[in-house]
Amino acid sequence: MSNASNKRGILAVGCYIPRLRLAKKTIAAANAWANPGLAARAKGSRAICAHDEDSITLAVAAARTALDNGTLPHISKLLVASTTLPFADRQNSTLIGEALGFSQVLQSCDLTGSLRAGTSALLNALNQDDNSLVIAADNRKTQPASVQELSYGAGGCALVTGSKDPIAIFIGSHSVSIDFTDHYRSSEAQFDYHLEERWVKEEGYLKIIPDAIKALLEKHQISPQKIDHLVISGPDSKTNAAIAKACNISPESVTDNLENDCGNTGTAHPLLMLCQALESAEPHQLILLAGFGQGCDLLLFETTERINEHKTRSPLQKTLAAGIEDNNYIRYLSFNRLVNIDWGMRGERDNRIAHSAFNRHRKTVTSFIGGRCVDCDTPQFPKRPMCANPDCRSSTGQTDEPFKDKQAKVKSFTEDWLALSENPPFIYGNVEFEGGGIVLMEFTGFEPGEIRVGTPLSMQFRIKVEDHKRAYKSYFWKAAPLV
């Protein structure tokens, strides 16, 4: 067992599960005429993205939770893992880094191509000397009436790695690369294609993972009975239990796969399950994490005394508890472009993005940076040549003033049923920030009639406009319910 506080490991963890949870019984009921067998799997709910959420916004939200700690070291490397990144040829991690307010002096990298990308990104970070931020996020589309429509979910997880007082020390790893195809999705396809379930379990999970676990434990001379938490993002709890049995690991150590709480969140799922294990772990316990996909990654950790701080924060349990059930199946289909709603003439507009203007104002738009007057100290958004304070109106200049983490509340609002919105009504109004500053903004995450003057708000990075003609998304910050 390790007792050195300066060994590399996990310093902090953050999680984000979308607030909307579609009840699986709603999916089964809507498709019972075509596939009545779905009813047997319709337990719990799955997390679904709102109309303005995707893998990038999930990643930003998860990372902000992980970084919500003033004692964390400077981040010099950003690794983002996902199989559903919106841009195939634009570095998604760079956009995420700017949304988080990171310095331009940053090494950023996208990792994709397999559901193992999340654990591979974490392993990459742990094998470097830098302080790194690892994020995994996915929002996989599913074909209506498929088994995957019940089992998939959306979510993100972020981990800070380094050597300054980790909550879990990295002990070692073992990886194998095997071109075993349990499912795949070509670059032109919209949905995953899955192979036969029993064959995947018997030839894939039950052979590849146990052999790798035995090799790892033998390499580090650790008895299987010493493993306190076994984390496997497997197809179901029975398969995970069978893997534990094959390795002589206690069945009580198998971590719940969250299937009924949010669904399988793709590249993020093994990291979310790792977070769950950390939230229940005691100091000096061993956690074995497995990531599966064309082989597997195994990572072994030992918790430290600082694990109790993480248990107090409980980022996974808090985001799971914040969910609200949504029984509107058609709305879910619309959000995922699986049914085309007729928005009338108001939807007939060209959403071309002015890239040159965006580049000039990138810090304002992506990082939500306003100004603070150097003469009267008034915060304002956006920066203007002249101070917004009518008693000052100085043109001396303004320093950068971040707004994304400020406390805020509703000052005024309008629910507009005539303006175009993919989730009507279009809600907008004035947001009053603590310490000064009033910004006219769009609200998101509120149901009709839910918002009130004085409602506390949090700023969330969301899709602002989507140019379907040119396949381009632009992002901005919106005011969301404080949870």
Side-chain angles (χ1 to χ4, degrees):
M1 296 289 184
S2 175
N3 56 12
S5 62
N6 288 325
K7 287 194 173 182
R8 289 193 63 75
I10 299 170
L11 308 186
V13 175
C15 306
Y16 178 74
I17 305 294
R19 194 169 178 228
L20 292 179
R21 312 290 163 79
L22 183 63
K24 294 182 181 180
K25 62 183 180 182
T26 299
I27 301 172
N31 295 292
W33 64 275
N35 189 352
L38 293 177
R41 300 173 181 256
K43 296 179 181 178
S45 60
R46 55 163 292 188
I48 60 172
C49 281
H51 70 288
D52 54 359
E53 292 184 298
D54 65 2
S55 297
I56 282 183
T57 68
L58 297 176
V60 171
R64 292 177 71 198
T65 306
L67 297 170
D68 186 21
N69 187 328
T71 63
L72 290 176
H74 170 74
I75 301 296
S76 57
K77 180 179 290 184
L78 172 60
L79 304 174
V80 177
S82 177
T83 63
T84 55
L85 293 170
F87 296 103
D89 192 358
R90 178 195 183 193
Q91 196 169 66
N92 300 266
S93 53
T94 299
L95 171 59
I96 291 168
E98 291 201 353
L100 294 172
F102 286 173
S103 165
Q104 293 182 355
V105 183
L106 175 74
Q107 181 184 350
S108 58
C109 182
D110 296 352
L111 293 91
T112 187
S114 166
L115 294 187
R116 189 158 54 111
T119 52
S120 295
L122 178 57
L123 182 57
N124 182 294
L126 290 166
N127 283 326
Q128 305 297 322
D129 294 330
D130 306 284
N131 298 314
S132 301
L133 175 63
V134 175
I135 314 174
D138 258 326
N139 178 34
R140 295 179 289 171
K141 286 190 176 182
T142 56
Q143 196 160 9
S146 66
V147 172
Q148 288 71 47
E149 192 174 34
L150 291 174
S151 61
Y152 282 10
C157 187
L159 302 96
V160 179
T161 64
S163 303
K164 184 181 178 182
D165 296 326
I167 61 175
I169 296 169
F170 178 51
I171 302 298
S173 66
H174 182 75
S175 295
V176 295
S177 293
I178 303 170
D179 189 26
F180 176 80
T181 307
D182 59 320
H183 76 280
Y184 64 89
R185 184 175 72 250
S186 71
S187 57
E188 294 83 15
Q190 189 177 17
F191 310 114
D192 293 348
Y193 184 87
H194 280 255
L195 280 298
E196 198 273 323
E197 288 184 50
R198 180 177 176 182
W199 177 78
V200 167
K201 293 175 185 177
E202 293 180 353
E203 294 299 317
Y205 285 92
L206 294 176
K207 286 187 177 180
I208 295 174
I209 296 181
D211 288 347
I213 289 177
K214 292 172 184 176
L216 174 68
L217 296 180
E218 183 178 350
K219 180 165 60 176
H220 292 277
Q221 297 183 335
I222 295 175
S223 167
Q225 287 75 34
K226 295 290 186 180
I227 301 300
D228 299 288
H229 302 271
L230 180 61
V231 180
I232 304 172
S233 180
D236 53 58
S237 57
K238 289 184 178 180
T239 303
N240 294 349
I243 292 172
K245 182 178 180 180
C247 298
N248 293 319
I249 296 175
S250 169
E252 287 76 23
S253 70
V254 179
T255 302
D256 180 72
N257 65 2
L258 303 174
E259 181 180 357
N260 295 330
D261 298 294
C262 61
N264 188 296
T265 57
T267 57
H269 210 63
L271 304 187
L272 285 171
M273 291 178 63
L274 171 62
C275 185
Q276 179 181 219
L278 290 169
E279 289 181 9
S280 63
E282 300 297 331
H284 308 297
Q285 288 191 331
L286 292 180
I287 300 177
L288 180 54
L289 168 66
F292 184 82
Q294 283 67 65
C296 75
D297 293 321
L298 296 177
L299 293 87
L300 184 63
F301 299 94
E302 180 190 346
T303 57
T304 68
E305 296 292 338
R306 281 200 61 232
I307 193 63
N308 292 324
E309 298 176 24
H310 176 73
K311 292 169 65 176
T312 301
R313 292 183 69 237
S314 301
L316 177 62
Q317 292 307 315
K318 286 180 180 178
T319 190
L320 286 174
I324 56 173
E325 189 167 293
D326 185 5
N327 294 311
N328 193 329
Y329 183 67
I330 296 297
R331 180 162 65 174
Y332 152 76
L333 294 178
S334 176
F335 285 175
N336 286 275
R337 306 281 188 269
L338 298 174
V339 63
N340 293 320
I341 300 295
D342 182 6
W343 299 111
M345 288 188 294
R346 57 184 174 168
E348 298 173 3
R349 64 183 186 184
D350 193 336
N351 291 326
R352 181 172 183 173
I353 307 301
H355 289 275
S356 57
F358 166 71
N359 188 63
R360 289 195 301 272
H361 301 286
R362 203 173 66 248
K363 184 184 289 188
T364 300
V365 174
T366 305
S367 303
F368 206 16
I369 300 293
R372 181 178 285 273
C373 180
V374 297
D375 288 334
C376 72
D377 205 37
T378 298
Q380 48 215 278
F381 184 90
K383 278 186 179 180
R384 296 291 188 188
M386 189 175 291
C387 177
N389 184 349
D391 297 325
C392 176
R393 307 303 286 171
S394 169
S395 58
T396 305
Q398 298 169 24
T399 59
D400 284 352
E401 178 75 5
F403 272 72
K404 63 183 175 66
D405 295 319
K406 289 176 177 284
Q407 293 185 14
K409 62 182 179 181
V410 177
K411 183 176 177 63
S412 64
F413 69 92
T414 297
E415 293 185 356
D416 191 340
W417 287 91
L418 297 179
L420 177 64
S421 171
E422 294 187 24
N423 187 28
F426 181 61
I427 308 177
Y428 60 93
N430 287 307
V431 173
E432 183 176 1
F433 289 86
E434 188 176 77
I438 297 174
V439 181
L440 180 64
M441 298 185 67
E442 181 179 346
F443 297 100
T444 188
F446 289 97
E447 291 297 315
E450 182 182 2
I451 194 169
R452 295 287 187 274
V453 170
T455 299
L457 302 166
S458 66
M459 299 301 109
Q460 298 294 330
F461 193 64
R462 295 295 179 91
I463 300 168
K464 179 62 175 175
V465 177
E466 189 163 356
D467 181 353
H468 298 290
K469 185 176 181 179
R470 299 165 192 86
Y472 187 86
K473 293 179 181 179
S474 63
Y475 299 81
F476 188 53
W477 296 81
K478 298 180 182 180
L482 181 65
V483 293

